[in-house]
Amino acid sequence: MNPINISEKLKLFNERWTPKKIGELNGQQLLLAKIKGEFIWHAHENEDELFIIIKGHLIIEFRDKKVELNEGELLIIPKGVEHKPIAKNEVHVLLFEPLAIKHTGNVISNLTVETFETI
């Protein structure tokens, strides 16, 4: 058991839209990601998704509205809800997700990561 320094972990990578695993608990994984630009429309049919904004401003589009998140805020997206994250500037996020989740949900694209690298 050692503390995890989120700021130090974020310094270890520069890739965007490629979450890195920093821990696991109770069948969940903690992922850090740097994002900028627009992601793809997707949904997670069997899993809720939790976004915690560490740095920046994130817009999450839904088919019927937009939600804006700032540093220190979080949003839980219920399973099956289609969404698209948008970051005009680089955003750092912490995600809590089941171990088997694909971050592109039900859509396979060139952004899909099969196994998250542990840092």
Side-chain angles (χ1 to χ4, degrees):
M1 293 186 304
N2 294 310
I4 297 170
N5 185 305
I6 292 172
S7 296
E8 291 301 316
K9 293 291 186 181
L10 284 163
K11 292 176 185 176
L12 297 176
F13 67 99
N14 291 312
E15 303 90 8
R16 294 186 175 136
W17 301 110
T18 307
K20 307 294 184 192
K21 187 188 305 185
I22 61 169
E24 293 182 14
L25 72 156
N26 301 319
Q28 298 279 317
Q29 55 192 342
L30 285 77
L31 302 170
L32 282 177
K34 293 180 179 180
I35 58 179
K36 184 177 179 184
E38 294 191 16
F39 203 53
I40 57 174
W41 281 103
H42 68 287
H44 303 278
E45 295 303 322
N46 301 306
E47 305 94 4
D48 299 329
E49 188 173 19
L50 171 67
F51 286 82
I52 300 173
I53 309 306
I54 305 295
K55 175 186 169 190
H57 175 83
L58 182 66
I59 299 168
I60 300 183
E61 283 191 0
F62 298 95
R63 292 298 183 182
D64 62 344
K65 67 179 181 177
K66 291 181 185 178
V67 174
E68 297 194 27
L69 299 168
N70 294 301
E71 291 178 24
E73 295 183 323
L74 64 86
L75 181 68
I76 300 168
I77 301 175
K79 61 184 171 188
V81 175
E82 197 172 23
H83 58 285
K84 178 172 93 168
I86 301 170
K88 292 179 182 176
N89 297 301
E90 186 170 87
V91 176
H92 299 170
V93 297
L94 177 62
L95 308 162
F96 283 71
E97 300 179 339
L99 290 170
I101 200 169
K102 285 188 173 39
H103 72 303
T104 56
N106 56 358
V107 177
I108 303 300
S109 81
N110 62 331
L111 297 172
T112 302
V113 175
E114 294 294 329
T115 304
F116 299 109
E117 176 187 1
T118 300
I119 59 171

